[in-house]
Structure formats: C-alpha cells, structure tokens
Amino acid sequence: MSAAAATHTNGRAEEAGLYKQMEERILLRDQEGGSRIYYELLKRGRPLSEIMAEAVRIHAPYTHVPYHQRIDGGFPNFVNNDHCLLSSRAAINLQKMLPERFAGLPLAQTIWYIPSGLDIWNQKILKAPGHYANRGYKVANTTPPAPVVYWPDQEPLRETGPLDERLNHWLTLVERGEVIPAYRIFLGLMEETGHRREVLAHMVFAGMIDVQDRMLYNRSYTTGHKAYRTRSVVEIGNAIGWDNAHDTVYAGALDVAVGPRWHSVYEAACNIVLVFIDGHEIHAVPQSGASEREQEILANNQGTLDEAETAALVAALTDEHEPAYIERISALLNAGKAPRHVIDAIQLAAAKVVLETDGPNNFSMPQHTYEYCNTLGWFYDNFDHPQRLKLLYVAGSMVNQAAWHQRALGWSKTEPVKAPAGAGRLDGDAVIERLEAAQKALDPTESVAWARAYLDNGGDRARLAERLALMATRLGNDPHNQEIPQCLLEDYGKNRNPGRDILLLACAHISAGHRKYGDPFEASRRFGEAMGLAELQ
C-alpha cells in the first residue's frame, strides 16, 4: 500500500470541490468553516465513512510530532499525543449508540476539533494556534502559520522471510526509535493482505506495551496513547475499507516508533509471568516468546470471578501497594480464571478510580488508565496475540499507580454514592430528565446521584446508556469528552461481571466532572441548528 496508491476512489470525486474547501478551512484552523462544509456534505447524502476518510487524509501529515518530549533549558516537557484520529475512532462507536437522527453528531465533534489539533509541537511552544495553545477556545480570525509536516509519508519497503521474523524486526526498529525504516517496513507488511490480521495485531501490541513506569510527580508520559492510536488505525480501517486506508495507517502506525518509548512495565510483566505463572526464577539469560504455561492459560482457562474474588482483586488494585495485585492476578490465573474475566474485574477497579476522582483538572491519570483497560478488553476480543496474557499486569500496574497517584495528591474522594431523597417516587423519564439537567450544568455529584437513582429504580439500562452517550457526544472542544464515556459505555455492553453498573456511574461522573474548554456545547448546538435538531439547540 504505497503513498502513490492512496487515491480517492470511493465516490469522493463527486464532491471533490467541497472536500477541497474543507481541507482549506481546516488548514486555516477555521472550525466554523470546516463544520459548515461537513453539514453540507451530510445534506448531500455523503456517507459518514467517506467524510471520515477525507478528514483523516487532511490531518494525517500534520498530527505527528518529532518526539513526544522536549528538553527546554534542561527541563523535560511533555508533547501531547494526537486526538484527531482518536476522535474519529470514538465517533465510529458512539454513532452506534445513538438514535439514527443523531448519527452525524459524533463526527461533527471530530470535524470541529481537527483545526485545533494540528501541529501540536508548535502549539506547545506557542508558535501555532490550537487546543494546546488556546485550550479549546476558537482561533482568532487571522491567517495562522501553515502546520508543519515532521514525518513525510513514505513508500513501502518489502522484505522476505518468515512473517514472525519480519514482525520482530519491525518491533526492534520501533524499540530503537528508527521511525522511517520502521514505517516503511510496516507499509510493506500491510501489502500482504493474507497476513493483515497478524500485522495489525502486532502493531496494536507494540502500542499496548508502551506505558510509562510511574505517574506521581511526572508530567511527561505516554498514558497508553500508542495503544489508543494503533487501535484507531484498526477500527477506522475496518470502517472505511483497507483499500482506502493508507492515510489512516500514515496517521497512526508511524507514531509507534516516535519516542520516548516506555517498555519497562511490560518488561516487568514478562518477568512476573516467568516467576508467578511459570514458576521459574529470574536469571540474566535472554528469554523469548510465550511459554507453554501461558498458552495453556489462554487456551483453557474458562472460570469466572465470584463477588468475593472480584472485591479482593479490586481492593488489591486500588487500596494495596505492589505486589498485592500481582499476586492476586496470578492466583486467579493459576486457579483457572479466564483472562478476559479478569480484565472485566480490572475494568471495575479502573472505573472506581475514575468515579472517586475529585476536581475537574484531576482526571488525566484515571481516564487514561480506564482507556487502557478498555483497549485491553478490545484487544482480547479482536486478536489472539500470543503475548497478550502479560498485558494484564501492565493494566494492573496502571490502575494501581493511578489509584495511589490520586490519593497522594488529595484528588480522591470515597464518599458513598446515594440517590437523592425521594428519587424512588419518580418514574424513569423524570429521573433521566434530572440526570441530563445535572450533566448540562456540569455537576458531577448530582449526575452520579441521579444515575444511581435510575439504577436503583430498576430502569432500563440500555436507555440510560443511550442518554449518557448522547450527553457525552454533545460536549465538545476536547475529544476526551467522547473518548472516555464511549469506552465506559462500550464496556458496559460487554463486561460480564455483575458489578458492571459502576461503569455507568463513572460515565456520568466524568462527563459532567472533567474540565471543559470554551463553550463545550457550541459544536453540537451548531450541528443541531444546521440539521434541524431542536433537541441540540
């Protein structure tokens, strides 16, 4: 799949003029102008997948950075990760959760955000406008500097030999930070359509193992973003068709090798499996692959966790110090519990950390930890990567660090969640009305209380999930407003643990409680006005 082959063949030529205008508006950082063209494309009946493919094509060259960290006068500073691609991925999934009339709203938030998400490197040093320079406020009506292309697109490099060896060579180049050679080899691997599933699995795996080894007092970290970006490549590629997905691969796969790379937590997970699962000691002898015992657990473990086992794991993850969670996860696996069911319980622990977060500016570590746990479940559901068992310990490390990070900084509040007095006398519609009023008022305490009331009253969970999805999709100027609720709601639909209601409570909490920028309802209000949806105005 070469750069030259990335032609527009899916019917886009019919509206080439509009797409050209949309590109011009986006590169001028014109949120309103880009959105107006999006509305016109919808009115002309263009499919959402086509518009998404064009949006990715437009932003792909401008959402890379030279490195995700700077050294300024001897001080390390974080350079943020792209959220344009992640916003499109969330839009694909949120669209499925909403009534048909709102299907175009999630991508409307993406189109609104993209002009503010270009050239993050220069935004961070105030040489370019956008979200990280203006923190969500609209760009002034001036001609901004053109966004910079730091990593130009490439032609594929085709290698020969066994697939496993070539995948390992690619991952070695990623670990070394050899960005262009790694990307060119990946393009060559993607041309082999018969191996595409294995190639995509290894790409996501490379993202899943890249997680920083501490949180407290750190401000430069990956927080799992390589995993979220590579997952986005897979989901967007599936949605728009792989013959039309070169721009998506460029937007996501190249970044896997961009530094810094943080593999120490995963390296520890490998040794943990060696000790706690295989029963061996650690020696200074090179290891390789997945052990026979790992493969047996992945193939044969079917057991579920009961309430006591779930509570013990959640406590080990959120209330005890390392190595308590390591020992608990290992004991469950050695007792025949299915890794996927263990992930369900880990997600409850991550949601608990989100739910207990206090203060609008304090969600960063909890929300990204939850996104990692969600992505881990998705990875298990979509790929049979041989090394995936070790990732349970990476997720455990993230949850444990996030929980203690919040406690150490005074950002955690553990008050019990109670329904408002008299809520039991209200019907479901009245409770939903009050919940949505609390969400619009950005009141997390009332939002969670009314969500609790709805659950206590035995209301239809599917309806609650749909309304929470709509409220999350209405909140703009920061893709986290869609990404994290979408992850929580997706997992509510898949998680098999009886305690999964906490995912809905955490969704209500973060939607209302996470910090907002500018007028968070502006994009949805403009969409409602353009498309005749009074409920959004």
Side-chain angles (χ1 to χ4, degrees):
M1 181 169 45
S2 69
T7 54
H8 311 155
T9 58
N10 68 342
R12 289 181 252 181
E14 298 175 29
E15 300 296 348
L18 276 181
Y19 285 123
K20 186 174 185 297
Q21 292 177 46
M22 186 165 78
E23 181 172 6
E24 291 170 351
R25 290 296 96 200
I26 285 174
L27 297 187
L28 287 171
R29 321 305 208 277
D30 181 357
Q31 292 174 285
E32 295 177 20
S35 293
R36 282 196 299 269
I37 295 166
Y38 172 67
Y39 309 149
E40 182 60 27
L41 287 164
L42 288 181
K43 291 173 181 177
R44 294 190 187 188
R46 304 317 305 171
L48 289 170
S49 58
E50 176 187 296
I51 302 172
M52 180 179 293
E54 278 291 299
V56 173
R57 176 189 66 79
I58 292 166
H59 76 65
Y62 311 109
T63 45
H64 292 295
V65 297
Y67 205 72
H68 287 287
Q69 184 171 280
R70 301 174 55 89
I71 295 288
D72 297 313
F75 201 111
N77 287 300
F78 177 49
V79 178
N80 298 70
N81 294 272
D82 167 55
H83 279 272
C84 298
L85 200 70
L86 275 60
S87 180
S88 288
R89 185 208 68 77
I92 291 169
N93 293 282
L94 283 167
Q95 175 193 342
K96 302 170 187 175
M97 299 177 183
L98 300 175
E100 179 62 29
R101 65 188 182 279
F102 300 123
L105 177 57
L107 191 58
Q109 293 286 7
T110 302
I111 301 298
W112 179 260
Y113 174 78
I114 289 173
S116 71
L118 307 180
D119 198 356
I120 294 172
W121 182 268
N122 275 323
Q123 286 194 46
K124 294 289 287 188
I125 54 177
L126 302 180
K127 291 185 177 180
H131 177 75
Y132 297 100
N134 304 78
R135 302 313 294 179
Y137 292 89
K138 289 184 293 184
V139 175
N141 188 24
T142 59
T143 301
V148 177
V149 179
Y150 296 101
W151 299 106
D153 205 355
Q154 302 290 316
E155 294 295 326
L157 180 60
R158 303 169 185 89
E159 296 186 314
T160 59
L163 179 64
D164 286 350
E165 291 182 8
R166 289 184 287 135
L167 288 173
N168 192 65
H169 179 220
W170 169 77
L171 188 55
T172 299
L173 293 174
V174 166
E175 184 180 35
R176 293 174 179 171
E178 298 188 29
V179 178
I180 294 302
Y183 177 54
R184 292 189 65 202
I185 287 172
F186 188 81
L187 291 178
L189 288 164
M190 283 294 289
E191 289 185 334
E192 302 176 26
T193 57
H195 295 145
R196 181 169 292 159
R197 187 168 185 80
E198 294 94 328
V199 172
L200 291 173
H202 213 53
M203 174 190 67
V204 180
F205 170 72
M208 298 294 299
I209 67 175
D210 193 340
V211 176
Q212 79 282 353
D213 53 5
R214 61 172 292 117
M215 292 183 187
L216 188 61
Y217 300 120
N218 268 57
R219 289 298 300 168
S220 186
Y221 31 55
T222 168
T223 52
H225 271 90
K226 299 293 180 72
Y228 319 145
R229 197 161 179 169
T230 52
R231 174 189 179 176
S232 298
V233 171
V234 175
E235 293 205 72
I236 296 171
N238 288 339
I240 68 177
W242 286 103
D243 290 341
N244 195 39
H246 175 85
D247 299 309
T248 300
V249 174
Y250 174 35
L254 181 149
D255 183 68
V256 180
V258 176
R261 289 157 304 284
W262 311 78
H263 292 153
S264 58
V265 175
Y266 176 70
E267 188 261 339
C270 293
N271 289 319
I272 288 166
V273 168
L274 192 69
V275 172
F276 287 86
I277 301 300
D278 296 332
H280 297 160
E281 294 182 355
I282 300 175
H283 296 288
V285 177
Q287 304 289 326
S288 179
S291 70
E292 184 175 323
R293 175 64 177 144
E294 277 183 88
Q295 295 174 58
E296 289 176 358
I297 288 174
L298 289 168
N300 300 324
N301 279 27
Q302 300 294 324
T304 59
L305 280 67
D306 62 26
E307 185 176 352
E309 290 167 329
T310 297
L313 178 55
V314 170
L317 288 163
T318 62
D319 299 327
E320 301 177 47
H321 288 289
E322 202 173 71
Y325 74 85
I326 294 171
E327 296 167 349
R328 181 62 57 181
I329 291 173
S330 301
L332 291 168
L333 295 174
N334 286 324
K337 306 302 180 181
R340 188 63 181 85
H341 289 307
V342 176
I343 292 171
D344 286 345
I346 293 173
Q347 289 176 350
L348 303 193
K352 177 175 181 285
V353 180
V354 172
L355 182 60
E356 292 178 353
T357 293
D358 184 35
N361 297 327
N362 302 332
F363 282 93
S364 184
M365 294 301 104
Q367 70 181 7
H368 290 111
T369 295
Y370 192 86
E371 192 167 10
Y372 186 89
C373 295
N374 163 264
T375 303
L376 178 57
W378 173 88
F379 188 58
Y380 264 72
D381 294 341
N382 286 275
F383 298 107
D384 294 325
H385 195 281
Q387 300 285 1
R388 66 192 185 278
L389 188 69
K390 299 177 175 77
L391 299 176
L392 271 67
Y393 296 98
V394 179
S397 173
M398 280 195 80
V399 175
N400 190 247
Q401 287 194 58
W404 286 104
H405 174 274
Q406 298 299 93
R407 274 199 189 89
L409 297 176
W411 294 350
S412 181
K413 185 166 61 176
T414 58
E415 296 176 359
V417 177
K418 296 181 180 179
R425 296 190 295 271
L426 301 174
D427 63 18
D429 288 342
V431 174
I432 288 286
E433 181 180 336
R434 287 160 174 77
L435 166 60
E436 292 183 344
Q439 294 265 288
K440 291 174 187 175
L442 307 180
D443 185 333
T445 301
E446 284 294 298
S447 293
V448 173
W450 285 110
R452 177 76 272 169
Y454 189 87
L455 296 171
D456 289 348
N457 292 358
D460 178 12
R461 265 61 169 174
R463 180 165 180 245
L464 176 59
E466 181 183 90
R467 299 308 296 182
L468 287 171
L470 179 58
M471 283 306 303
T473 309
R474 292 185 65 183
L475 293 164
N477 290 336
D478 180 356
H480 291 102
N481 290 318
Q482 285 81 55
E483 291 170 28
I484 310 305
Q486 181 271 310
C487 290
L488 287 156
L489 295 172
E490 175 188 341
D491 286 334
Y492 182 77
K494 297 192 303 183
N495 193 297
R496 288 148 291 187
N497 193 291
R500 65 180 183 148
D501 277 356
I502 194 174
L503 305 179
L504 297 175
L505 298 176
C507 181
H509 181 62
I510 196 168
S511 282
H514 183 268
R515 63 183 173 183
K516 305 297 187 290
Y517 303 104
D519 176 359
F521 292 101
E522 181 171 1
S524 61
R525 188 170 58 248
R526 287 179 177 275
F527 178 80
E529 291 169 354
M531 307 306 292
L533 297 169
E535 188 174 347
L536 301 181
Q537 298 176 42

